[in-house]
Amino acid sequence: MKNEWPIKAPLTINWALNTTCTFACRHCYSRGETDAELPGETLRDCFSRVARAGVLAVNFGGGEPLLRSDLLELAGAAAALGLRVSMNSNGWLIDGPMAAALKQAGFAKVGISLDSHTPAVHDRFRGVPGSHARGVAALGHLRAAGIRTSLSTVICTINQDDVGPLIAFARQHGVAQLNLHNFKCAGLGLANRDELDLSPAQWREFYCRALAAKAGVTDLEVSFDDPVIASLGLPGESNLVKGSICGKLSLSIKANGDITPCGFIPQVIGNIVRDDLVAVWSSAPLLEQLRHKEPRGKCGSCGHYADCLGGCSARALAVTGDLNSPDPHCWVADVTQP
């Protein structure tokens, strides 16, 4: 019997309100999903229950959450319960009046996804001409409305050499945080992996450059979400847990209410409409596995395992079928092989 997990409820829920989107991103993890959306009344009841369970924050996603006509009402209901409300958006639908409405609804932070500082590169990757310009404009509107902004960039072959320009771009547009996300092998990300993903050696080179660049930045937060960074002998981003935070500090909820450890792990462990969140959090077998991983392969002899815990479990599961396998991005050599 494993030790009881000390955190009684997820601190954050990443909540997909819908699956619809007008973009055609090459790496989208949810593009193939067609789940029915929960009605607003049901969602508001669910917000009440997760707030009572001890959840501190909800981050809305999708799809594109702004395509949901009742987004403002839903955000207002969540904020009124004391939940910190944030959102990830492609920015297309955010003009001045919408930014003001988002502020009024209680959004504490809005992240805009921009995958390059170069408009043509971003637009081609996202599949919509003009998407870069609209995303940049959204950042300005949000800043004017008094909403904290972040820039979300998925690192892949289109931008792996652009850390410096991306930091300069984030600084130019006044964001509080630049999130440099590691490439996930889920949905279209898995289908297009050969084209878009980096090799382990390239990931090592990227993080060495990125961490060196981050060390010189004092006017904005540069964040990573990749536990394999620990293999460089440096601490990860989370001070609360080792390895990935999924299933340890956070959960994800799909548009139909299904609960998963994270958006990139498709295994359903419950449903927020019919199941008690605290019971799922405390007893789901898959969460137990994520919290108490067992090293496989080269992880068994690696001196960094105690810190990275095998890297990204979602990526390992997607590529190998075993969440305990070494992260496919890991660059550490297998010392057990000749």
Side-chain angles (χ1 to χ4, degrees), residues 104-135:
Q104 181 66 30
F107 277 95
K109 177 182 176 183
V110 174
I112 300 297
S113 296
L114 286 165
D115 291 305
S116 176
H117 62 291
T118 303
V121 174
H122 171 84
D123 289 1
R124 185 167 56 250
F125 186 61
R126 293 274 170 169
V128 178
S131 59
H132 188 275
R134 293 282 281 261

PDB file of all heavy atoms in Angstrom, residues 104-135:
ATOM      1  N   GLN A 104     -14.136  42.022 -16.674  1.00  0.00           N
ATOM      2  CA  GLN A 104     -15.344  42.132 -15.856  1.00  0.00           C
ATOM      3  C   GLN A 104     -15.814  40.768 -15.382  1.00  0.00           C
ATOM      4  O   GLN A 104     -16.336  40.623 -14.258  1.00  0.00           O
ATOM      5  CB  GLN A 104     -16.453  42.815 -16.672  1.00  0.00           C
ATOM      6  CG  GLN A 104     -17.749  43.016 -15.922  1.00  0.00           C
ATOM      7  CD  GLN A 104     -17.616  43.992 -14.754  1.00  0.00           C
ATOM      8  OE1 GLN A 104     -16.787  44.912 -14.796  1.00  0.00           O
ATOM      9  NE2 GLN A 104     -18.423  43.800 -13.713  1.00  0.00           N
ATOM     10  N   ALA A 105     -15.620  39.744 -16.201  1.00  0.00           N
ATOM     11  CA  ALA A 105     -16.058  38.397 -15.836  1.00  0.00           C
ATOM     12  C   ALA A 105     -15.180  37.760 -14.768  1.00  0.00           C
ATOM     13  O   ALA A 105     -15.573  36.757 -14.177  1.00  0.00           O
ATOM     14  CB  ALA A 105     -16.087  37.512 -17.082  1.00  0.00           C
ATOM     15  N   GLY A 106     -13.993  38.312 -14.546  1.00  0.00           N
ATOM     16  CA  GLY A 106     -13.160  37.803 -13.467  1.00  0.00           C
ATOM     17  C   GLY A 106     -11.910  37.063 -13.894  1.00  0.00           C
ATOM     18  O   GLY A 106     -11.244  36.436 -13.055  1.00  0.00           O
ATOM     19  N   PHE A 107     -11.554  37.142 -15.155  1.00  0.00           N
ATOM     20  CA  PHE A 107     -10.323  36.480 -15.594  1.00  0.00           C
ATOM     21  C   PHE A 107      -9.113  37.159 -14.970  1.00  0.00           C
ATOM     22  O   PHE A 107      -8.911  38.363 -15.101  1.00  0.00           O
ATOM     23  CB  PHE A 107     -10.206  36.516 -17.117  1.00  0.00           C
ATOM     24  CG  PHE A 107     -10.967  35.418 -17.808  1.00  0.00           C
ATOM     25  CD1 PHE A 107     -12.246  35.651 -18.269  1.00  0.00           C
ATOM     26  CD2 PHE A 107     -10.402  34.157 -17.962  1.00  0.00           C
ATOM     27  CE1 PHE A 107     -12.968  34.636 -18.902  1.00  0.00           C
ATOM     28  CE2 PHE A 107     -11.108  33.148 -18.584  1.00  0.00           C
ATOM     29  CZ  PHE A 107     -12.391  33.374 -19.053  1.00  0.00           C
ATOM     30  N   ALA A 108      -8.295  36.363 -14.287  1.00  0.00           N
ATOM     31  CA  ALA A 108      -7.075  36.882 -13.682  1.00  0.00           C
ATOM     32  C   ALA A 108      -5.916  36.862 -14.664  1.00  0.00           C
ATOM     33  O   ALA A 108      -4.975  37.658 -14.545  1.00  0.00           O
ATOM     34  CB  ALA A 108      -6.705  36.051 -12.448  1.00  0.00           C
ATOM     35  N   LYS A 109      -5.966  35.951 -15.638  1.00  0.00           N
ATOM     36  CA  LYS A 109      -4.860  35.796 -16.582  1.00  0.00           C
ATOM     37  C   LYS A 109      -5.396  35.177 -17.869  1.00  0.00           C
ATOM     38  O   LYS A 109      -6.279  34.317 -17.833  1.00  0.00           O
ATOM     39  CB  LYS A 109      -3.774  34.899 -15.980  1.00  0.00           C
ATOM     40  CG  LYS A 109      -2.600  34.606 -16.886  1.00  0.00           C
ATOM     41  CD  LYS A 109      -1.620  33.667 -16.183  1.00  0.00           C
ATOM     42  CE  LYS A 109      -0.488  33.260 -17.085  1.00  0.00           C
ATOM     43  NZ  LYS A 109       0.431  32.293 -16.426  1.00  0.00           N
ATOM     44  N   VAL A 110      -4.850  35.603 -18.989  1.00  0.00           N
ATOM     45  CA  VAL A 110      -5.176  35.004 -20.283  1.00  0.00           C
ATOM     46  C   VAL A 110      -3.865  34.747 -21.016  1.00  0.00           C
ATOM     47  O   VAL A 110      -3.044  35.659 -21.169  1.00  0.00           O
ATOM     48  CB  VAL A 110      -6.095  35.899 -21.136  1.00  0.00           C
ATOM     49  CG1 VAL A 110      -6.280  35.295 -22.525  1.00  0.00           C
ATOM     50  CG2 VAL A 110      -7.449  36.087 -20.452  1.00  0.00           C
ATOM     51  N   GLY A 111      -3.680  33.512 -21.447  1.00  0.00           N
ATOM     52  CA  GLY A 111      -2.511  33.159 -22.219  1.00  0.00           C
ATOM     53  C   GLY A 111      -2.847  33.104 -23.699  1.00  0.00           C
ATOM     54  O   GLY A 111      -3.878  32.545 -24.089  1.00  0.00           O
ATOM     55  N   ILE A 112      -2.002  33.700 -24.511  1.00  0.00           N
ATOM     56  CA  ILE A 112      -2.189  33.695 -25.959  1.00  0.00           C
ATOM     57  C   ILE A 112      -1.125  32.790 -26.579  1.00  0.00           C
ATOM     58  O   ILE A 112       0.062  32.904 -26.269  1.00  0.00           O
ATOM     59  CB  ILE A 112      -2.086  35.112 -26.553  1.00  0.00           C
ATOM     60  CG1 ILE A 112      -3.162  36.018 -25.947  1.00  0.00           C
ATOM     61  CG2 ILE A 112      -2.210  35.072 -28.072  1.00  0.00           C
ATOM     62  CD1 ILE A 112      -4.586  35.598 -26.229  1.00  0.00           C
ATOM     63  N   SER A 113      -1.573  31.904 -27.464  1.00  0.00           N
ATOM     64  CA  SER A 113      -0.663  30.965 -28.114  1.00  0.00           C
ATOM     65  C   SER A 113      -0.083  31.582 -29.379  1.00  0.00           C
ATOM     66  O   SER A 113      -0.811  31.888 -30.326  1.00  0.00           O
ATOM     67  CB  SER A 113      -1.409  29.669 -28.463  1.00  0.00           C
ATOM     68  OG  SER A 113      -1.845  29.007 -27.297  1.00  0.00           O
ATOM     69  N   LEU A 114       1.221  31.779 -29.360  1.00  0.00           N
ATOM     70  CA  LEU A 114       1.951  32.259 -30.529  1.00  0.00           C
ATOM     71  C   LEU A 114       3.229  31.436 -30.627  1.00  0.00           C
ATOM     72  O   LEU A 114       4.044  31.456 -29.699  1.00  0.00           O
ATOM     73  CB  LEU A 114       2.274  33.752 -30.403  1.00  0.00           C
ATOM     74  CG  LEU A 114       1.102  34.719 -30.613  1.00  0.00           C
ATOM     75  CD1 LEU A 114       1.434  36.116 -30.108  1.00  0.00           C
ATOM     76  CD2 LEU A 114       0.736  34.781 -32.093  1.00  0.00           C
ATOM     77  N   ASP A 115       3.411  30.746 -31.730  1.00  0.00           N
ATOM     78  CA  ASP A 115       4.511  29.789 -31.822  1.00  0.00           C
ATOM     79  C   ASP A 115       5.728  30.306 -32.560  1.00  0.00           C
ATOM     80  O   ASP A 115       6.687  29.558 -32.770  1.00  0.00           O
ATOM     81  CB  ASP A 115       4.001  28.498 -32.470  1.00  0.00           C
ATOM     82  CG  ASP A 115       3.044  27.761 -31.544  1.00  0.00           C
ATOM     83  OD1 ASP A 115       3.434  27.483 -30.396  1.00  0.00           O
ATOM     84  OD2 ASP A 115       1.900  27.494 -31.944  1.00  0.00           O
ATOM     85  N   SER A 116       5.699  31.561 -32.943  1.00  0.00           N
ATOM     86  CA  SER A 116       6.877  32.167 -33.561  1.00  0.00           C
ATOM     87  C   SER A 116       6.770  33.676 -33.449  1.00  0.00           C
ATOM     88  O   SER A 116       5.674  34.236 -33.408  1.00  0.00           O
ATOM     89  CB  SER A 116       7.002  31.763 -35.034  1.00  0.00           C
ATOM     90  OG  SER A 116       8.101  32.420 -35.645  1.00  0.00           O
ATOM     91  N   HIS A 117       7.911  34.322 -33.411  1.00  0.00           N
ATOM     92  CA  HIS A 117       7.931  35.775 -33.477  1.00  0.00           C
ATOM     93  C   HIS A 117       7.734  36.260 -34.912  1.00  0.00           C
ATOM     94  O   HIS A 117       7.483  37.438 -35.133  1.00  0.00           O
ATOM     95  CB  HIS A 117       9.258  36.297 -32.933  1.00  0.00           C
ATOM     96  CG  HIS A 117      10.458  35.844 -33.717  1.00  0.00           C
ATOM     97  ND1 HIS A 117      10.871  34.523 -33.716  1.00  0.00           N
ATOM     98  CD2 HIS A 117      11.315  36.502 -34.545  1.00  0.00           C
ATOM     99  CE1 HIS A 117      11.942  34.398 -34.487  1.00  0.00           C
ATOM    100  NE2 HIS A 117      12.224  35.579 -35.012  1.00  0.00           N
ATOM    101  N   THR A 118       7.823  35.341 -35.860  1.00  0.00           N
ATOM    102  CA  THR A 118       7.686  35.673 -37.277  1.00  0.00           C
ATOM    103  C   THR A 118       6.272  35.352 -37.750  1.00  0.00           C
ATOM    104  O   THR A 118       5.838  34.199 -37.684  1.00  0.00           O
ATOM    105  CB  THR A 118       8.693  34.866 -38.110  1.00  0.00           C
ATOM    106  OG1 THR A 118      10.019  35.123 -37.631  1.00  0.00           O
ATOM    107  CG2 THR A 118       8.603  35.238 -39.583  1.00  0.00           C
ATOM    108  N   PRO A 119       5.514  36.341 -38.222  1.00  0.00           N
ATOM    109  CA  PRO A 119       4.117  36.105 -38.590  1.00  0.00           C
ATOM    110  C   PRO A 119       3.909  34.970 -39.578  1.00  0.00           C
ATOM    111  O   PRO A 119       3.025  34.125 -39.378  1.00  0.00           O
ATOM    112  CB  PRO A 119       3.690  37.454 -39.190  1.00  0.00           C
ATOM    113  CG  PRO A 119       4.540  38.457 -38.490  1.00  0.00           C
ATOM    114  CD  PRO A 119       5.864  37.793 -38.310  1.00  0.00           C
ATOM    115  N   ALA A 120       4.683  34.903 -40.635  1.00  0.00           N
ATOM    116  CA  ALA A 120       4.459  33.877 -41.658  1.00  0.00           C
ATOM    117  C   ALA A 120       4.675  32.483 -41.110  1.00  0.00           C
ATOM    118  O   ALA A 120       3.947  31.543 -41.476  1.00  0.00           O
ATOM    119  CB  ALA A 120       5.372  34.129 -42.861  1.00  0.00           C
ATOM    120  N   VAL A 121       5.661  32.315 -40.221  1.00  0.00           N
ATOM    121  CA  VAL A 121       5.941  31.000 -39.643  1.00  0.00           C
ATOM    122  C   VAL A 121       4.784  30.554 -38.758  1.00  0.00           C
ATOM    123  O   VAL A 121       4.304  29.419 -38.844  1.00  0.00           O
ATOM    124  CB  VAL A 121       7.264  31.026 -38.846  1.00  0.00           C
ATOM    125  CG1 VAL A 121       7.477  29.695 -38.116  1.00  0.00           C
ATOM    126  CG2 VAL A 121       8.436  31.319 -39.779  1.00  0.00           C
ATOM    127  N   HIS A 122       4.312  31.448 -37.908  1.00  0.00           N
ATOM    128  CA  HIS A 122       3.188  31.124 -37.030  1.00  0.00           C
ATOM    129  C   HIS A 122       1.927  30.823 -37.829  1.00  0.00           C
ATOM    130  O   HIS A 122       1.232  29.839 -37.574  1.00  0.00           O
ATOM    131  CB  HIS A 122       2.927  32.282 -36.071  1.00  0.00           C
ATOM    132  CG  HIS A 122       1.669  32.138 -35.272  1.00  0.00           C
ATOM    133  ND1 HIS A 122       1.602  31.416 -34.109  1.00  0.00           N
ATOM    134  CD2 HIS A 122       0.409  32.608 -35.505  1.00  0.00           C
ATOM    135  CE1 HIS A 122       0.365  31.447 -33.637  1.00  0.00           C
ATOM    136  NE2 HIS A 122      -0.376  32.163 -34.466  1.00  0.00           N
ATOM    137  N   ASP A 123       1.614  31.678 -38.797  1.00  0.00           N
ATOM    138  CA  ASP A 123       0.381  31.506 -39.571  1.00  0.00           C
ATOM    139  C   ASP A 123       0.378  30.185 -40.322  1.00  0.00           C
ATOM    140  O   ASP A 123      -0.655  29.498 -40.393  1.00  0.00           O
ATOM    141  CB  ASP A 123       0.219  32.653 -40.571  1.00  0.00           C
ATOM    142  CG  ASP A 123      -0.119  33.973 -39.896  1.00  0.00           C
ATOM    143  OD1 ASP A 123      -0.208  34.014 -38.653  1.00  0.00           O
ATOM    144  OD2 ASP A 123      -0.292  34.975 -40.627  1.00  0.00           O
ATOM    145  N   ARG A 124       1.517  29.806 -40.863  1.00  0.00           N
ATOM    146  CA  ARG A 124       1.601  28.531 -41.582  1.00  0.00           C
ATOM    147  C   ARG A 124       1.417  27.355 -40.617  1.00  0.00           C
ATOM    148  O   ARG A 124       0.728  26.377 -40.924  1.00  0.00           O
ATOM    149  CB  ARG A 124       2.947  28.443 -42.299  1.00  0.00           C
ATOM    150  CG  ARG A 124       3.110  27.211 -43.171  1.00  0.00           C
ATOM    151  CD  ARG A 124       4.314  27.337 -44.091  1.00  0.00           C
ATOM    152  NE  ARG A 124       5.555  27.586 -43.366  1.00  0.00           N
ATOM    153  CZ  ARG A 124       6.220  28.749 -43.397  1.00  0.00           C
ATOM    154  NH1 ARG A 124       5.747  29.771 -44.108  1.00  0.00           N
ATOM    155  NH2 ARG A 124       7.337  28.902 -42.725  1.00  0.00           N
ATOM    156  N   PHE A 125       2.006  27.446 -39.440  1.00  0.00           N
ATOM    157  CA  PHE A 125       1.926  26.376 -38.450  1.00  0.00           C
ATOM    158  C   PHE A 125       0.510  26.230 -37.913  1.00  0.00           C
ATOM    159  O   PHE A 125       0.029  25.113 -37.679  1.00  0.00           O
ATOM    160  CB  PHE A 125       2.896  26.688 -37.304  1.00  0.00           C
ATOM    161  CG  PHE A 125       3.034  25.608 -36.278  1.00  0.00           C
ATOM    162  CD1 PHE A 125       3.499  24.352 -36.618  1.00  0.00           C
ATOM    163  CD2 PHE A 125       2.725  25.849 -34.950  1.00  0.00           C
ATOM    164  CE1 PHE A 125       3.646  23.363 -35.665  1.00  0.00           C
ATOM    165  CE2 PHE A 125       2.861  24.865 -33.992  1.00  0.00           C
ATOM    166  CZ  PHE A 125       3.330  23.615 -34.358  1.00  0.00           C
ATOM    167  N   ARG A 126      -0.174  27.361 -37.738  1.00  0.00           N
ATOM    168  CA  ARG A 126      -1.523  27.351 -37.180  1.00  0.00           C
ATOM    169  C   ARG A 126      -2.609  27.195 -38.250  1.00  0.00           C
ATOM    170  O   ARG A 126      -3.767  26.961 -37.932  1.00  0.00           O
ATOM    171  CB  ARG A 126      -1.760  28.636 -36.395  1.00  0.00           C
ATOM    172  CG  ARG A 126      -0.901  28.750 -35.132  1.00  0.00           C
ATOM    173  CD  ARG A 126      -1.543  28.072 -33.969  1.00  0.00           C
ATOM    174  NE  ARG A 126      -0.656  27.950 -32.809  1.00  0.00           N
ATOM    175  CZ  ARG A 126      -1.060  27.571 -31.602  1.00  0.00           C
ATOM    176  NH1 ARG A 126      -2.328  27.283 -31.405  1.00  0.00           N
ATOM    177  NH2 ARG A 126      -0.216  27.452 -30.612  1.00  0.00           N
ATOM    178  N   GLY A 127      -2.231  27.346 -39.499  1.00  0.00           N
ATOM    179  CA  GLY A 127      -3.166  27.089 -40.589  1.00  0.00           C
ATOM    180  C   GLY A 127      -4.150  28.191 -40.877  1.00  0.00           C
ATOM    181  O   GLY A 127      -5.126  27.973 -41.609  1.00  0.00           O
ATOM    182  N   VAL A 128      -3.923  29.407 -40.337  1.00  0.00           N
ATOM    183  CA  VAL A 128      -4.864  30.517 -40.538  1.00  0.00           C
ATOM    184  C   VAL A 128      -4.086  31.795 -40.836  1.00  0.00           C
ATOM    185  O   VAL A 128      -3.408  32.327 -39.949  1.00  0.00           O
ATOM    186  CB  VAL A 128      -5.762  30.730 -39.296  1.00  0.00           C
ATOM    187  CG1 VAL A 128      -6.697  31.913 -39.515  1.00  0.00           C
ATOM    188  CG2 VAL A 128      -6.568  29.477 -38.990  1.00  0.00           C
ATOM    189  N   PRO A 129      -4.169  32.315 -42.052  1.00  0.00           N
ATOM    190  CA  PRO A 129      -3.520  33.591 -42.357  1.00  0.00           C
ATOM    191  C   PRO A 129      -4.042  34.709 -41.449  1.00  0.00           C
ATOM    192  O   PRO A 129      -5.232  34.807 -41.185  1.00  0.00           O
ATOM    193  CB  PRO A 129      -3.915  33.846 -43.822  1.00  0.00           C
ATOM    194  CG  PRO A 129      -4.228  32.485 -44.376  1.00  0.00           C
ATOM    195  CD  PRO A 129      -4.835  31.726 -43.233  1.00  0.00           C
ATOM    196  N   GLY A 130      -3.139  35.517 -40.968  1.00  0.00           N
ATOM    197  CA  GLY A 130      -3.520  36.627 -40.095  1.00  0.00           C
ATOM    198  C   GLY A 130      -3.620  36.269 -38.634  1.00  0.00           C
ATOM    199  O   GLY A 130      -3.884  37.142 -37.795  1.00  0.00           O
ATOM    200  N   SER A 131      -3.404  35.018 -38.300  1.00  0.00           N
ATOM    201  CA  SER A 131      -3.565  34.605 -36.896  1.00  0.00           C
ATOM    202  C   SER A 131      -2.507  35.234 -35.996  1.00  0.00           C
ATOM    203  O   SER A 131      -2.775  35.534 -34.827  1.00  0.00           O
ATOM    204  CB  SER A 131      -3.546  33.089 -36.771  1.00  0.00           C
ATOM    205  OG  SER A 131      -2.336  32.535 -37.267  1.00  0.00           O
ATOM    206  N   HIS A 132      -1.306  35.437 -36.508  1.00  0.00           N
ATOM    207  CA  HIS A 132      -0.253  36.064 -35.710  1.00  0.00           C
ATOM    208  C   HIS A 132      -0.638  37.501 -35.360  1.00  0.00           C
ATOM    209  O   HIS A 132      -0.553  37.913 -34.185  1.00  0.00           O
ATOM    210  CB  HIS A 132       1.069  36.033 -36.479  1.00  0.00           C
ATOM    211  CG  HIS A 132       2.256  36.475 -35.686  1.00  0.00           C
ATOM    212  ND1 HIS A 132       2.613  37.797 -35.549  1.00  0.00           N
ATOM    213  CD2 HIS A 132       3.178  35.761 -34.982  1.00  0.00           C
ATOM    214  CE1 HIS A 132       3.701  37.890 -34.803  1.00  0.00           C
ATOM    215  NE2 HIS A 132       4.074  36.662 -34.441  1.00  0.00           N
ATOM    216  N   ALA A 133      -1.085  38.247 -36.363  1.00  0.00           N
ATOM    217  CA  ALA A 133      -1.466  39.641 -36.122  1.00  0.00           C
ATOM    218  C   ALA A 133      -2.612  39.740 -35.122  1.00  0.00           C
ATOM    219  O   ALA A 133      -2.621  40.620 -34.246  1.00  0.00           O
ATOM    220  CB  ALA A 133      -1.855  40.312 -37.442  1.00  0.00           C
ATOM    221  N   ARG A 134      -3.575  38.847 -35.228  1.00  0.00           N
ATOM    222  CA  ARG A 134      -4.715  38.884 -34.295  1.00  0.00           C
ATOM    223  C   ARG A 134      -4.267  38.503 -32.885  1.00  0.00           C
ATOM    224  O   ARG A 134      -4.766  39.062 -31.891  1.00  0.00           O
ATOM    225  CB  ARG A 134      -5.811  37.948 -34.784  1.00  0.00           C
ATOM    226  CG  ARG A 134      -6.481  38.382 -36.095  1.00  0.00           C
ATOM    227  CD  ARG A 134      -7.498  39.498 -35.886  1.00  0.00           C
ATOM    228  NE  ARG A 134      -8.751  39.013 -35.389  1.00  0.00           N
ATOM    229  CZ  ARG A 134      -9.834  38.773 -36.137  1.00  0.00           C
ATOM    230  NH1 ARG A 134      -9.792  38.964 -37.447  1.00  0.00           N
ATOM    231  NH2 ARG A 134     -10.951  38.358 -35.599  1.00  0.00           N
ATOM    232  N   GLY A 135      -3.340  37.555 -32.765  1.00  0.00           N
ATOM    233  CA  GLY A 135      -2.836  37.186 -31.451  1.00  0.00           C
ATOM    234  C   GLY A 135      -2.070  38.317 -30.794  1.00  0.00           C
ATOM    235  O   GLY A 135      -2.225  38.588 -29.590  1.00  0.00           O
TER     236      GLY A 135
END
